[in-house]
Amino acid sequence: MKAVSIGSDGQAYVENRPTPALTSPDDVLIRIAYSGVCGSDLPRIFHGGAHFYPITLGHEFSGHVVEAGSGVNHVKPGSPVACVPLLPCFQCEECERGYYSLCKRYNFVGSRQHGGNAEYIVVNKNNVFLLPDNVSLLQGAFFEPITVGLHALLLAGGCKDKHVTIIGAGTIGLLALQCANAMGAASVTAIDINDDKLDLALRLGASHVYNSKSESAEQIRESSLDRRFNQLLLETAGTPQTVELALNVAGPRAQVALVGTLHQDLTLSQTAFGLILRKELSILGSWMNYSAPWPGEEWRLAAELFTQKRIDLQPLIANIENPEGFAEKIMALKGKPMNGKLLMKINE
Ligand SMILES: [Zn+2]
Ligand SMILES: [Zn+2]
């Protein structure tokens, strides 16, 4: 089968590998349809951040079941599925409480084992989410990124009647924006430093947008005074500046959900720290996208939102490529901010 692999030299290339086969009754063989590149893959490609090389990445993919072991009940050959990349141990105390994202003994498809940038993959039955009838395979490849935002929104107790602010209008942010609207937010504000992304946010349902390069935190706060109570902010950009911006623009007693991972140290000024106290902010960390019962409410809600056509994916897609084009486009991501989702289409 064809697979797009990454070498330790940071090169993406198409290779031929034997098609994997089931080795356990709990295994499922999937013929992949769509597989996307995640921002979290970039360090694995360009900065030696993968667990081994050469590696086939890909944890955001969909496809059809070809073969299922005797211990698999929820899918059968022909079932359309999305990948649930985490495989927690299901035995530790964190797992017993349903805190699957916090499990310490886990496997992960597309980082600790080969992923979905290939024609076929074998995964455990718990890594397989059955797609409802009217959810497409293309939508299937977006379950992973959409559930990241949904996890944060659910940890915050939902967003009904809340004034939601999304900081960072990348894939995760623009998906979370649409989820917040669908989940009954009173308003949804997007903040970014890129006007094109903010235009997209408006098209996708943002009620207000601000460019934090041209508008200061004070200006943003001043112009949203009528929306200052009952706020939920989602920080998805993962930079020290945007974390501090979140604290600055937050209203009294706002919830600040931190979703983006930092790639450098964050030093908070005394004043910024004081804002947490003086505004009585609730700071909430959000990690991955799982809850009980496995894989979680996030995944069922994503299926519902896709079924109800509440999520527009087309504007979020930069390219859909065959394996050769996909490998080329991966190399073109080097040193640049991700601008829309790059996907491989291999079968359908
Ligand atoms: Zn991802
Ligand atoms: Zn565990």
Side-chain angles (χ1 to χ4, degrees):
M1 66 161 188
K2 272 188 187 177
V4 176
S5 295
I6 307 293
S8 55
D9 55 357
Q11 294 292 317
Y13 58 94
V14 180
E15 66 170 338
N16 264 301
R17 273 218 317 267
T19 301
L22 307 195
T23 57
S24 131
D26 287 341
D27 279 349
V28 181
L29 173 65
I30 300 170
R31 184 172 185 254
I32 290 150
Y34 291 95
S35 183
V37 175
C38 176
S40 70
D41 287 327
L42 298 180
R44 297 177 181 129
I45 299 168
F46 300 116
H47 304 292
H51 285 270
F52 58 92
Y53 291 95
I55 184 169
T56 299
L57 297 171
H59 60 267
E60 304 180 354
F61 64 87
S62 63
H64 283 107
V65 172
V66 176
E67 194 184 349
S70 57
V72 182
N73 298 315
H74 72 303
V75 295
K76 56 180 194 295
S79 298
V81 295
C83 170
V84 180
L86 182 73
L87 186 63
C89 76
F90 292 109
Q91 284 169 358
C92 68
E93 289 188 53
E94 279 79 357
C95 282
E96 271 174 17
R97 285 168 186 258
Y99 303 167
Y100 300 116
S101 298
L102 312 186
C103 176
K104 298 283 189 303
R105 281 183 293 151
Y106 63 92
N107 206 339
F108 199 90
V109 177
S111 93
R112 292 171 184 242
Q113 67 185 76
H114 283 310
N117 296 341
E119 269 182 276
Y120 295 91
I121 190 170
V122 169
V123 293
N124 182 274
K125 63 182 178 186
N126 286 304
N127 293 128
V128 174
F129 182 82
L130 175 65
L131 295 177
D133 285 343
N134 36 20
V135 171
S136 71
L137 289 164
L138 183 59
Q139 289 171 324
F142 281 84
F143 269 71
E144 211 280 330
I146 197 173
T147 49
V148 168
L150 284 170
H151 184 63
L153 294 174
L154 292 174
L155 280 178
C159 45
K160 184 139 185 42
D161 300 329
K162 292 182 189 173
H163 293 292
V164 176
T165 297
I166 310 282
I167 300 180
T171 302
I172 302 271
L174 292 172
L175 287 169
L177 181 163
Q178 299 181 72
C179 292
N181 264 333
M183 291 164 76
S187 68
V188 184
T189 299
I191 304 178
D192 200 281
I193 51 172
N194 179 321
D195 282 327
D196 293 337
K197 290 185 178 177
L198 292 173
D199 285 343
L200 199 47
L202 278 175
R203 266 172 65 195
L204 293 173
S207 51
H208 305 77
V209 297
Y210 299 99
N211 187 322
S212 55
K213 243 184 186 165
S214 47
E215 288 178 89
S216 70
E218 289 64 38
Q219 286 172 316
I220 296 172
R221 205 178 47 241
E222 288 294 306
S223 74
S224 54
L225 278 178
D226 57 331
R227 286 171 277 124
R228 72 185 185 280
F229 295 111
N230 216 6
Q231 275 188 2
L232 164 58
L233 295 95
L234 236 62
E235 199 295 306
T236 71
T239 70
Q241 296 81 358
T242 46
V243 171
E244 193 155 341
L245 179 70
L247 301 178
N248 267 307
V249 300
R253 293 209 167 181
Q255 294 175 294
V256 181
L258 302 177
V259 179
T261 47
L262 289 183
H263 297 285
Q264 51 183 305
D265 287 344
L266 162 68
T267 309
L268 270 193
S269 67
Q270 206 177 331
T271 313
F273 178 79
L275 293 171
I276 301 174
L277 277 56
R278 288 167 184 270
K279 291 197 274 194
E280 299 191 335
L281 303 179
S282 292
I283 309 291
L284 188 97
S286 182
W287 188 238
M288 297 202 279
N289 40 357
Y290 308 96
S291 60
W294 179 261
E297 189 52 28
E298 301 83 348
W299 295 74
R300 289 177 285 278
L301 191 51
E304 203 180 301
L305 297 179
F306 281 132
T307 301
Q308 295 169 353
K309 305 197 185 326
R310 302 300 301 264
I311 310 295
D312 188 359
L313 294 178
Q314 282 312 325
L316 307 183
I317 297 172
N319 301 91
I320 301 181
E321 299 285 337
N322 63 18
E324 289 75 17
F326 184 66
E328 252 172 59
K329 286 271 174 3
I330 286 177
M331 295 315 297
L333 294 173
K334 190 168 189 170
K336 288 189 208 125
M338 286 261 271
N339 224 331
K341 184 65 75 184
L342 167 60
L343 291 143
M344 178 175 76
K345 180 180 178 181
I346 190 152
N347 298 298
E348 203 182 356

